[in-house]
Amino acid sequence: MGKVTGFLEFERLNEGYEAPKARLKHYKEFVVRLSDGDAKIQGARCMDCGIPFCNNGCPVNNIIPDWNDLVYHGNYRQALDTLHQTNNFPEFTGRICPAPCEAACTLGINNDPVGIKSIEHFIIDKGWENGWVTPQPAAAKTGKKVAVVGSGPAGLAAAQQLARVGHDVTVFEKNDRVGGLLRYGIPDFKMEKSHIDRRVEQMKAEGVTFRTGVLVGKEFPANITNWAKETISPEQLDKEFDAVVIAGGAENPRDLPVPGRELKGVHFAMEFLPQQNKVNAGDKLKDQIMATGKHVVVIGGGDTGSDCVGTSNRHGAAQVTQFELMPTPPEKENKPLVWPYWPYKLRTSSSHDEGCERDWAVTTKRLEGKNGKVEKLIAARVEWKDGKMTEVPGSEFEIKADLVLLAMGFVSPVAQVLDAFGVEKDVRGNAKANTDGEGCYQTSKPKVFAAGDMRRGQSLVVWAIREGRQCARAVDEFLMGSSVLPR
């Protein structure tokens, strides 16, 4: 514990933001990293609890008190090494993780929690700036070959861990660039893709082979982003590799079965967001979905909906409205009731601050338009009682809508991938695999493992990294009989 009275002396310091009017003119990141002095103050606020609830609140079990103390003392290199012990990609989580660790911070019981996420962001950026993040190739090769299907955070974490213990790893990605939903699901203003690119270069130096534009399985549904140029069958992978890890994302979106759904101008969020990321990367697209000058309605109040809001504002939308089916959350959580778990409370994102009308307890009844193009959305108020929803009589209203974006979450991984491998699925349509005991992360097919969204369904980037790391250990044990990789 660097400063015994730090939590009494210092207030929480949040990272700064570029002003909304300025950041709406570009797609770059706009968060201002903590200075060395501010990072030291935040590290000093950590109480180095006897039971570090932050460690348990973090899905990858980051050793948070240790690197908080190291930052306080200015030992940034050692702080980076400590951070990398549990997290392969802290530059991802330091930018887009919602920070469940902070919700579990003991100081947060009656005060503002330690700014753990901002310190993580500070540490990894320091590491890259000083050249401390370098390839870690294996000392010896095992002669075993592993295929990883999907290059999102779960696939990348699994691939890196397996390569570092000497396996020959090939990552297959259906899209034209590596990164999965990190690449095409997260807007650049939240995480620039250069962070992915330099990790890919590191992993290539560690021996990982990347094959993009390769679809494993058969045809994908039309609503799934797919720029594959060639296909490879699971049977081919089974023949060429000693083990296979299925680590794709949950890309099957929840639809809106209402009259008018077929009208032009109604799109899934994952039809809208990837296009802008491709344009930012320099690609030329025909018929890009644009919000410029339009009245945009975003249906869904989560992170994906927020990303649609921020992108629509950067397009120059005339008006952006976001509807959520659930009632308005409380502004403050009941800490004695929920701590150290993730609290249910009102959250306002940076995209909302840029301009957005938000409304809760609203259901969409139908969409209407002319000449096959959406023009308005008919909605109604709802009430929730005992977990059941009922429409409020006489509450129907309409709103102008030139573009409707569906951001209501994802119900499961793409079924075609799991069906192609012939693995058993759970009741939610995910690959069935346990996370404990013998054969953990192993599917009903002996050589086939599953991790991340493919196994647990839609989840956080930090959970994907955790599962990728743990799955890598399970694969290593399967191939070698034992493993030195961390559990």
Side-chain angles (χ1 to χ4, degrees):
M1 188 172 181
K3 188 171 180 58
V4 176
T5 57
F7 70 98
L8 295 172
E9 296 178 32
F10 305 121
E11 298 295 325
R12 177 185 170 102
L13 297 172
N14 293 316
E15 293 176 313
Y17 285 174
E18 184 181 0
K21 286 186 179 180
R23 68 187 190 235
L24 283 175
K25 297 177 181 179
H26 61 79
Y27 291 90
K28 299 292 185 180
E29 293 177 12
F30 52 81
V31 175
V32 181
R33 195 186 78 201
L34 295 178
S35 66
D36 288 24
D38 288 345
K40 179 176 180 177
I41 288 174
Q42 278 305 291
R45 295 184 74 234
C46 178
M47 298 186 290
D48 193 14
C49 305
I51 299 176
F53 288 93
C54 58
N55 175 274
N56 290 326
C58 172
V60 294
N61 302 124
N62 276 330
I63 314 169
I64 295 164
D66 286 18
W67 43 258
N68 280 341
D69 180 63
L70 290 165
V71 167
Y72 172 72
H73 286 101
N75 296 329
Y76 304 136
R77 176 62 187 268
Q78 192 176 348
L80 178 69
D81 293 341
T82 304
L83 180 54
H84 270 145
Q85 285 182 36
T86 55
N87 189 349
N88 295 68
F89 313 117
E91 64 270 44
F92 303 164
T93 52
R95 286 169 167 80
I96 60 176
C97 180
C101 54
E102 294 187 13
C105 175
T106 304
L107 185 56
I109 294 175
N110 63 351
N111 202 333
D112 291 329
V114 175
I116 299 168
K117 179 179 175 181
S118 63
I119 299 175
E120 180 178 30
H121 184 185
F122 172 86
I123 294 169
I124 185 59
D125 279 13
K126 275 283 186 183
W128 282 108
E129 289 169 5
N130 287 281
W132 298 333
V133 184
T134 56
Q136 299 178 36
K141 288 290 188 178
T142 65
K144 302 291 185 179
K145 299 172 64 178
V146 182
V148 176
V149 181
S151 67
L156 291 177
Q160 185 167 62
Q161 293 294 93
L162 289 165
R164 286 178 173 178
V165 290
H167 303 307
D168 291 317
V169 182
T170 302
V171 177
F172 295 89
E173 170 57 53
K174 70 180 186 302
N175 294 324
D176 54 350
R177 295 180 178 90
V178 172
L181 292 175
L182 286 171
R183 173 77 64 177
Y184 288 124
I186 305 294
D188 287 13
F189 56 81
K190 289 178 68 175
M191 192 188 83
E192 294 176 22
K193 306 317 172 205
S194 58
H195 303 300
I196 304 172
D197 295 336
R198 61 188 179 186
R199 279 295 181 182
V200 169
E201 291 306 309
Q202 179 197 34
M203 292 174 65
K204 286 180 179 178
E206 293 171 346
V208 178
T209 299
F210 291 92
R211 293 184 58 185
T212 57
V214 180
L215 173 65
V216 177
K218 300 179 181 179
E219 294 184 2
F220 269 50
N223 61 3
I224 302 299
T225 303
N226 176 25
W227 291 287
K229 296 180 179 179
E230 61 176 298
T231 60
I232 185 170
S233 69
E235 290 76 18
Q236 288 176 273
L237 295 184
D238 180 72
K239 185 181 299 184
E240 296 178 20
F241 294 89
D242 299 294
V244 178
V245 176
I246 312 175
E251 295 185 72
N252 191 18
R254 183 173 285 106
D255 208 341
L256 183 69
V258 299
R261 168 64 179 88
E262 75 286 350
L263 293 170
K264 292 182 180 179
V266 184
H267 301 276
F268 288 115
M270 284 302 295
E271 294 174 319
F272 175 67
L273 296 173
Q275 291 187 350
Q276 187 58 55
N277 285 4
K278 286 183 69 67
V279 170
N280 293 345
D283 294 353
K284 303 295 184 182
L285 297 185
K286 293 182 179 179
D287 303 320
Q288 182 187 356
I289 303 167
M290 295 294 296
T292 312
K294 296 179 180 178
H295 288 77
V296 180
V297 178
V298 179
I299 301 177
D303 290 340
T304 304
S306 172
D307 294 343
C308 290
V309 170
T311 302
S312 296
N313 281 327
R314 282 161 178 74
H315 283 183
Q319 174 70 44
V320 181
T321 304
Q322 186 177 24
F323 288 148
E324 168 58 49
L325 186 64
M326 301 301 292
T328 310
E331 290 193 12
K332 295 285 186 179
E333 72 271 33
N334 186 338
K335 287 187 178 180
L337 180 65
V338 301
W339 182 89
Y341 301 107
W342 184 248
Y344 176 65
K345 66 176 182 178
L346 180 64
R347 302 178 191 278
T348 299
S349 73
S350 57
S351 292
H352 295 138
D353 290 336
E354 294 162 1
C356 176
E357 294 292 329
R358 304 169 74 187
D359 206 348
W360 287 266
V362 173
T363 184
T364 301
K365 299 193 70 174
R366 63 186 182 278
L367 302 165
E368 296 181 357
K370 293 180 181 178
N371 302 317
K373 179 73 174 65
V374 69
E375 292 185 340
K376 59 184 177 180
L377 181 150
I378 312 302
R381 303 285 173 187
V382 296
E383 289 181 336
W384 290 87
K385 187 175 182 180
D386 298 328
K388 295 182 179 180
M389 182 188 77
T390 57
E391 183 177 327
V392 177
S395 66
E396 189 172 298
F397 66 97
E398 68 177 53
I399 181 173
K400 183 176 176 59
D402 306 308
L403 176 62
V404 177
L405 299 173
L406 309 181
M408 302 173 292
F410 301 86
V411 295
S412 67
V414 179
Q416 280 82 348
V417 175
L418 300 182
D419 291 342
F421 278 94
V423 301
E424 185 180 352
K425 292 182 281 189
D426 63 19
V427 294
R428 297 183 300 155
N430 306 321
K432 189 174 182 179
N434 296 323
T435 58
D436 293 306
E438 187 177 352
C440 63
Y441 290 94
Q442 193 165 330
T443 69
S444 56
K445 298 291 183 178
K447 288 172 56 175
V448 180
F449 296 74
D453 287 4
M454 279 288 182
R455 195 203 66 81
R456 64 182 291 118
Q458 178 190 4
S459 192
L460 304 176
V461 167
V462 68
W463 272 108
I465 294 172
R466 171 196 174 101
E467 295 227 339
R469 287 171 60 89
Q470 292 190 338
C471 183
R473 178 182 171 89
V475 172
D476 191 33
E477 288 179 333
F478 170 77
L479 295 175
M480 308 303 293
S482 63
S483 178
V484 295
L485 288 172
R487 179 69 171 87

